[in-house]
Amino acid sequence: MKIAITIVTVILMLFLLILLYIYNTAFYNSKTKAKRQKPFHTPAYDKISEEIKEVYENLKRAEYEDVYITSFDGLRLRAKYYHNHDNAPVAIMAHGYRSSSSHDSGGAYRMFTERGYNLLIPDQRTHGGSEGHTISFGVNERYDIAAWIECISQRFGSDTPIVLMGVSMGAATVTMCADLELKGNVKGIIADCGYSSPRDIISRVMKKNMKLPPKVFYPLVRIAARIFGGFDPDSASPMISVKNARLPILFIHGEADSFVPCYMSEQLYEACISKKMFLSVKEADHGISFIVGHKEYFETVDKFISEIGAK
């Protein structure tokens, strides 16, 4: 009997260790891990390295104000606020998975400042100057964006036009705000290379990069997230949100995206019930459509913000 109990105990401990490893790999983030993390990169980036460096340095030189709020679950969150004009619309820009506001937001900064916007760039929870250890693929981060919307509305007035934008996981995050009851005067959402659901992108990485069958291993990922991260990755998704969307959405995706495939944005566009637009950029890899397709990218954004009354 004691041997049987010991065997069961050992098996349970091994199972928990496996779940902990999965959680640490997929969801856990720390300042040390973030510093070790290499930004997503492919040979396509080398062709436009000078342009990428230029937009990065342009943002790095810009003056900003640190702004802090407290999340719904007690985390201290930081954002950088870039003020360009009084009484101007505000864009809120969300960066990607294990990336940073400075790495992912140079294009958005240039685009919105040229269009007379002020800009708020949050550090997503667990990243940069924001607290936390669990990345929830937008499930909890969407409520952080809602809190930043309230912060902007309190500071500049509830009639201040607000546009949400995100890239990669940031795009998924802002898309998942589409069915929330948001405070403030949010006009629309720009989602650049976002995934259709946490399940879909995790399963793709699992199959493509790790050669693991998602049908077998994704249930373990979900259990690990619930036990150690305190959230269910299947409880919310961009696909769920667009089917109940209250806000106009512009979907943008590079046709050569090697990380989040373009078909995910196409699926979201087809399922979206609100006013919508779609732009695919030929030969653009993950997150670089704004450089590869500069002219059509900005022309489409101009058309979108004009049609939703956010100019």
Side-chain angles (χ1 to χ4, degrees), residues 18-53:
I18 291 170
L19 293 180
L20 182 59
Y21 174 79
I22 292 171
Y23 164 75
N24 185 66
T25 301
F27 305 112
Y28 181 78
N29 201 35
S30 67
K31 306 308 176 188
T32 302
K33 177 175 282 191
K35 288 179 180 178
R36 294 199 307 264
Q37 187 77 13
K38 293 182 179 180
F40 180 81
H41 182 84
T42 68
Y45 286 66
D46 295 331
K47 298 178 182 179
I48 56 171
S49 59
E50 290 303 313
E51 291 93 333
I52 292 174
K53 182 179 179 181

Side-chain angles (χ1 to χ4, degrees), residues 15-289:
F15 183 65
L16 285 173
L17 285 173
I18 291 170
L19 293 180
L20 182 59
Y21 174 79
I22 292 171
Y23 164 75
N24 185 66
T25 301
F27 305 112
Y28 181 78
N29 201 35
S30 67
K31 306 308 176 188
T32 302
K33 177 175 282 191
K35 288 179 180 178
R36 294 199 307 264
Q37 187 77 13
K38 293 182 179 180
F40 180 81
H41 182 84
T42 68
Y45 286 66
D46 295 331
K47 298 178 182 179
I48 56 171
S49 59
E50 290 303 313
E51 291 93 333
I52 292 174
K53 182 179 179 181
E54 181 184 348
V55 295
Y56 174 83
E57 292 296 330
N58 184 48
L59 177 59
K60 188 176 178 181
R61 290 190 298 266
E63 294 184 1
Y64 64 87
E65 170 194 347
D66 280 325
V67 183
Y68 294 90
I69 61 171
T70 301
S71 70
F72 72 93
D73 51 352
L75 300 177
R76 190 170 189 252
L77 305 178
R78 184 190 76 166
K80 296 176 181 178
Y81 172 70
Y82 299 83
H83 186 83
N84 296 291
H85 302 284
D86 292 340
N87 304 315
V90 177
I92 299 177
M93 170 66 190
H95 66 77
Y97 175 81
R98 286 188 178 145
S99 188
S100 67
S101 55
S102 59
H103 181 271
D104 288 356
S105 304
Y109 173 77
R110 170 173 291 178
M111 180 174 71
F112 282 112
T113 53
E114 287 178 354
R115 283 151 182 79
Y117 276 68
N118 299 318
L119 191 66
L120 184 80
I121 307 179
D123 291 333
Q124 295 240 53
R125 57 174 52 213
T126 87
H127 297 78
S130 292
E131 293 180 342
H133 291 297
T134 297
I135 303 172
S136 65
F137 284 74
V139 173
N140 289 330
E141 288 85 353
R142 60 185 168 146
Y143 296 119
D144 299 337
I145 296 297
W148 285 117
I149 292 168
E150 184 173 359
C151 173
I152 290 297
S153 298
Q154 289 179 352
R155 179 167 176 175
F156 298 110
S158 59
D159 59 341
T160 299
I162 296 172
V163 172
L164 307 181
M165 182 173 180
V167 61
S168 194
M169 189 187 84
T173 300
V174 296
T175 303
M176 290 162 72
C177 293
D179 59 345
L180 298 180
E181 292 186 10
L182 302 172
K183 295 185 179 180
N185 193 22
V186 182
K187 295 292 188 177
I189 295 168
I190 302 173
D192 187 331
C193 63
Y195 46 78
S196 47
S197 72
R199 175 189 284 264
D200 289 345
I201 191 60
I202 291 170
S203 297
R204 174 178 166 79
V205 171
M206 194 180 295
K207 183 176 181 179
K208 181 182 178 182
N209 299 354
M210 305 175 74
K211 311 303 179 186
L212 297 173
K215 287 185 178 180
V216 175
F217 286 93
Y218 181 78
L220 297 179
V221 172
R222 189 179 178 192
I223 293 170
R226 298 183 74 167
I227 291 176
F228 296 107
F231 79 101
D232 181 357
D234 284 358
S235 64
S237 75
M239 184 59 72
I240 293 172
S241 294
V242 298
K243 291 178 179 178
N244 302 282
R246 303 164 182 261
L247 295 168
I249 307 175
L250 166 59
F251 299 96
I252 302 173
H253 219 117
E255 294 180 10
D257 196 318
S258 57
F259 186 64
V260 180
C262 187
Y263 71 75
M264 289 192 179
S265 281
E266 292 172 348
Q267 291 173 343
L268 291 171
Y269 175 78
E270 291 299 324
C272 184
I273 65 166
S274 64
K275 181 180 177 63
K276 57 189 177 181
M277 294 176 64
F278 183 82
L279 171 67
S280 62
V281 180
K282 293 181 180 180
E283 301 182 0
D285 206 329
H286 191 60
I288 54 175
S289 293

